[in-house]
Amino acid sequence: MTGQAVTAELLAVVVAMVDGRPSVLTLGEPPRLPAGPLLPSHRSLQAATRTWVEEQTGRRLGYLEQLYTFADLDREGVGELRPISVSYLGLTTPGEEPGIGGWQDWYALLPWEDTRTDTCALDAVAPHLRHWASSERALEAERRQRVAITFGLDGHAWQPDLVLQRYELLYESGLVPESPAEWRRPTAELAPGDRMLGDHRRVLATGLARLRAKIGYRPVVFELLSPTFTLRQLQDCVEALAGRAVHTQNFRRLIEQQALVEETGEVDADTGGRPARRYRFRRQVLQERSVAGTKLPTTRSR
Amino acid sequence: MTGQAVTAELLAVVVAMVDGRPSVLTLGEPPRLPAGPLLPSHRSLQAATRTWVEEQTGRRLGYLEQLYTFADLDREGVGELRPISVSYLGLTTPGEEPGIGGWQDWYALLPWEDTRTDTCALDAVAPHLRHWASSERALEAERRQRVAITFGLDGHAWQPDLVLQRYELLYESGLVPESPAEWRRPTAELAPGDRMLGDHRRVLATGLARLRAKIGYRPVVFELLSPTFTLRQLQDCVEALAGRAVHTQNFRRLIEQQALVEETGEVDADTGGRPARRYRFRRQVLQERSVAGTKLPTTRSR
DNA sequence: TTGCCTTATGCTACATCTGAGCAAAAGGCA
DNA sequence: TGCCTTTTGCTCAGATGTAGCATAAGGCAA
């Protein structure tokens, strides 16, 4: 029994810190993720992804992990072959060379994911979410709870790695332009944030969710930093990824007691205050213990 | 630009507890995972997986999540189309109906993953692993450390969810029959355990790794239990999955303080000792808090 | 019936981890 | 010199986790 012929497409969510902001590599307008079909010459899916990103953006990738495989009927196909999209998450540093394509601030694409400041991008849509929750009698209780948990309302804690769930809820409630026409609301009621081609924003959300979850149990942050850095830069990076602030002293304690970094001996005087020591990542820990990430000291009170 | 035509195949790792042993649903001899191609009639990859498992084994699946997508060149293809395999992890209960195919004890397939008893299936191959580690001068230090960490030797802690890494290391060191001929050892030196068709044992290892990781942060164990159960049954199930023993009293406390279960009022007298209360899973917690799994109270001393 | 076996269940002592905050160090700058 | 900044060191209480003791409640054999 041989199956339907399909084409396999690779999609890459490539993340880097650009000017202190977590950003994703995109092409064109509306922005789209680097992508390309699997060709006979490609040894593996991962190799194919590297090849396409390099070819389309002129950048070499370091860290790369598989995210998810999509093949829903509603994805737009090329010709008659059903497209299967295998998505990957890549981490890199912006580097010197301009390359092709641009770095797009991911909080411009998913503004509600940034909770570091008090001005929450959600305030505008929160009433619409509540309205959606109560629009169907039978589902009201369930929907209310789902909204509250997913967006951290009504006393529920904000959970940073529910990125995908939040996007999907906005999609279902017609608050993003990607939502199917029958669910959509007047433009004035849309959630803020730039859209991307097709369902690429959904794939981005998948990547962001994975990344946020992963920094908690694997030392992947360092893939995004320059070889040496101050603890403040490390903290800024983690905060930017997690989209929330952490307790500085406790963060430092966690990093140090896990022996994730070692001093270089240099100091960085451009801090505006007391100069900061520079550190480098102890690559050996990748071997020493396969576990241990950058744990986030959370805040009990919100 | 349109890509190479490929076929998409679905592969299912379906897990259930059968007679107290975690088992995987297989077909034929050598055992193989339920699998089938993606057809035009399938709405999604997940739906296709359900359909094939049901068609081939007569069993309906409950919980189902995507595992990983494989497309390496060395996977055997049907005809000229390159096969892409999307694997899924399913959880179920064995049920009454016989169905087609059989439940294979997964520790018969991957014996070294069971560390509940003192007789470790690894003892036999450990010397061969050390020999492999020291067989190449240049890589010796690195390999030694990798072996020690992956298999919890030389003072390193055994890490339950390194299932895939362990299989891959055995594969690379030629200690499983699936290893390429040029790496293989005399049959006498092979690691114990029944093999499966092709690379299915590797896919199984991927599933087991995911499952072990997941029981720690999502309440998925309950998918494998009957509707009501005693705390001992729950603990046995968790221990069987994790492949290691836990501290009974602390396990109970964790379960209770997380309010994962509620008493049914019944008691089970077939315990051999004091009768045990029966509990049921509070399905509501799936909504209440999206987090919270079955945390494992570990043992510091080994 | 009694005593001993088993497993279930309750509870305590102790170590470690975590969240929160105080305070000193060390630079720049008015 | 005094005040601003950021970095760094440290304390302290509450939460969480580990380990083990003790009791409850059944079956079973002497």
Side-chain angles (χ1 to χ4, degrees):
Chain A
M1 174 164 31
T2 159
Q4 171 188 23
V6 300
T7 55
E9 179 199 38
L10 290 317
L11 262 178
V13 178
V14 180
V15 175
M17 296 294 295
V18 181
D19 302 328
R21 286 194 300 272
S23 306
V24 61
L25 192 53
T26 61
L27 298 161
E29 186 59 44
R32 63 177 197 277
L33 299 172
L38 177 68
L39 299 178
S41 59
H42 296 137
R43 282 193 339 278
S44 64
L45 294 172
Q46 177 159 325
T49 308
R50 285 185 196 280
T51 306
W52 282 120
V53 170
E54 201 170 330
E55 198 156 304
Q56 293 179 6
T57 73
R59 293 167 206 280
R60 264 231 157 71
L61 292 184
Y63 184 92
L64 193 62
E65 76 171 76
Q66 196 182 97
L67 269 181
Y68 201 79
T69 300
F70 304 89
D72 297 330
L73 271 186
D74 52 314
R75 304 204 82 236
E76 60 246 55
V78 205
E80 303 176 15
L81 294 177
R82 182 175 187 166
I84 292 199
S85 299
V86 185
S87 57
Y88 276 80
L89 170 66
L91 304 180
T92 186
T93 47
E96 309 292 302
E97 359 73 81
I100 312 153
W103 292 108
Q104 196 89 11
D105 179 353
W106 82 25
Y107 290 126
L109 297 162
L110 306 169
W112 54 86
E113 291 300 337
D114 193 358
T115 62
R116 284 173 296 175
T117 59
D118 289 333
T119 62
C120 185
L122 258 179
D123 296 342
V125 288
H128 301 302
L129 284 172
R130 294 186 193 285
H131 175 256
W132 172 81
S134 55
S135 66
E136 286 206 39
R137 270 265 167 273
L139 301 169
E140 181 165 352
E142 192 184 312
R143 281 188 173 180
R144 280 185 119 72
Q145 196 175 34
R146 183 170 159 215
V147 168
I149 290 169
T150 312
F151 288 95
L153 306 172
D154 302 339
H156 289 266
W158 171 267
Q159 301 186 60
D161 49 356
L162 297 185
V163 187
L164 184 56
Q165 286 85 337
R166 283 188 280 271
Y167 176 78
E168 285 179 340
L169 206 152
L170 291 174
Y171 180 92
E172 282 180 52
S173 57
L175 290 173
V176 290
E178 297 94 316
S179 303
E182 62 269 30
W183 295 343
R184 207 140 0 121
R185 309 301 201 74
T187 313
E189 293 190 5
L190 288 181
D194 304 334
R195 71 168 296 180
M196 298 180 72
L197 182 73
D199 62 352
H200 287 197
R201 206 148 63 133
R202 189 187 139 87
V203 179
L204 173 65
T206 308
L208 178 41
R210 172 75 62 86
L211 185 48
R212 281 191 174 170
K214 199 134 196 175
I215 53 173
Y217 62 96
R218 285 295 143 97
V220 286
V221 226
F222 303 101
E223 305 289 341
L224 298 170
L225 289 169
S226 49
T228 77
F229 46 85
T230 66
L231 290 182
R232 164 54 57 181
Q233 287 169 333
L234 175 59
Q235 182 181 345
D236 284 342
C237 183
V238 168
E239 286 185 338
L241 295 181
R244 66 157 202 235
V246 305
H247 182 113
T248 306
Q249 298 95 314
N250 291 343
F251 176 77
R252 298 168 54 91
R253 181 176 58 186
L254 276 176
I255 297 297
E256 278 165 11
Q257 82 185 17
Q258 291 183 108
L260 287 174
V261 299
E262 61 192 2
E263 293 187 32
T264 65
E266 313 154 61
V267 290
D268 187 341
D270 294 343
T271 56
R274 172 172 171 172
R277 302 186 189 158
R278 296 192 75 83
Y279 292 81
R280 76 171 66 88
F281 175 48
R282 291 181 60 239
R283 292 246 157 237
Q284 323 140 39
V285 304
L286 291 177
Q287 310 217 327
E288 280 176 17
R289 305 155 293 171
S290 342
V291 277
T294 311
K295 288 184 193 149
L296 307 182
T298 56
T299 305
R300 208 175 294 277
S301 59
R302 278 189 53 86
Chain B
M1 176 163 30
T2 161
Q4 172 188 24
V6 300
T7 54
E9 179 200 38
L10 290 316
L11 261 179
V13 177
V14 180
V15 174
M17 295 294 296
V18 181
D19 303 328
R21 287 195 299 271
S23 305
V24 60
L25 191 53
T26 60
L27 298 161
E29 188 57 45
R32 62 177 197 277
L33 300 173
L38 177 69
L39 300 178
S41 59
H42 296 137
R43 283 192 339 280
S44 64
L45 294 172
Q46 177 158 326
T49 308
R50 285 185 197 281
T51 306
W52 281 121
V53 170
E54 202 170 330
E55 197 157 304
Q56 293 179 4
T57 73
R59 293 167 205 282
R60 265 229 158 70
L61 292 184
Y63 184 93
L64 193 63
E65 76 171 75
Q66 196 182 97
L67 269 180
Y68 201 79
T69 301
F70 304 89
D72 298 329
L73 270 186
D74 51 314
R75 304 204 83 237
E76 60 246 55
V78 206
E80 302 177 17
L81 293 177
R82 182 175 186 166
I84 292 199
S85 298
V86 185
S87 56
Y88 276 81
L89 170 67
L91 304 180
T92 187
T93 47
E96 309 294 300
E97 359 76 81
I100 312 153
W103 291 109
Q104 196 88 12
D105 179 351
W106 81 26
Y107 291 126
L109 297 163
L110 305 169
W112 55 86
E113 291 301 335
D114 193 357
T115 61
R116 284 173 296 175
T117 59
D118 289 333
T119 62
C120 184
L122 257 180
D123 296 342
V125 288
H128 302 303
L129 284 171
R130 294 186 193 283
H131 174 255
W132 172 80
S134 56
S135 66
E136 285 207 37
R137 271 265 168 269
L139 302 169
E140 181 163 354
E142 191 185 314
R143 283 188 172 180
R144 279 185 119 73
Q145 196 175 34
R146 183 169 160 216
V147 168
I149 291 169
T150 312
F151 287 95
L153 306 173
D154 302 339
H156 289 266
W158 172 267
Q159 300 186 60
D161 50 356
L162 296 185
V163 186
L164 183 56
Q165 286 84 339
R166 282 187 281 270
Y167 176 78
E168 285 181 338
L169 206 154
L170 291 174
Y171 180 92
E172 283 180 51
S173 58
L175 291 172
V176 289
E178 296 94 317
S179 302
E182 62 270 29
W183 296 343
R184 204 133 10 112
R185 309 299 202 75
T187 313
E189 294 189 4
L190 287 183
D194 304 334
R195 72 168 296 179
M196 298 180 73
L197 182 75
D199 62 353
H200 287 197
R201 206 149 62 132
R202 188 186 140 88
V203 180
L204 172 64
T206 308
L208 178 42
R210 173 75 62 88
L211 184 49
R212 281 191 173 169
K214 200 135 196 175
I215 53 174
Y217 62 96
R218 286 293 144 96
V220 287
V221 226
F222 303 101
E223 305 288 341
L224 299 169
L225 289 168
S226 49
T228 76
F229 46 84
T230 66
L231 290 183
R232 164 55 57 182
Q233 287 169 333
L234 174 58
Q235 182 181 344
D236 283 341
C237 184
V238 169
E239 286 185 337
L241 295 181
R244 66 156 205 235
V246 305
H247 181 114
T248 305
Q249 298 95 314
N250 292 341
F251 176 78
R252 299 167 54 89
R253 183 178 56 185
L254 274 177
I255 298 296
E256 278 164 10
Q257 82 185 18
Q258 292 182 104
L260 287 174
V261 298
E262 63 192 0
E263 292 188 33
T264 65
E266 315 153 61
V267 290
D268 187 341
D270 294 342
T271 57
R274 171 173 172 174
R277 302 185 190 158
R278 296 193 74 84
Y279 293 82
R280 76 169 66 87
F281 176 47
R282 291 182 61 239
R283 292 245 157 237
Q284 323 139 40
V285 304
L286 291 177
Q287 310 218 325
E288 282 176 17
R289 304 155 294 169
S290 342
V291 277
T294 312
K295 288 185 195 150
L296 306 181
T298 56
T299 305
R300 206 177 294 279
S301 58
R302 282 187 50 88

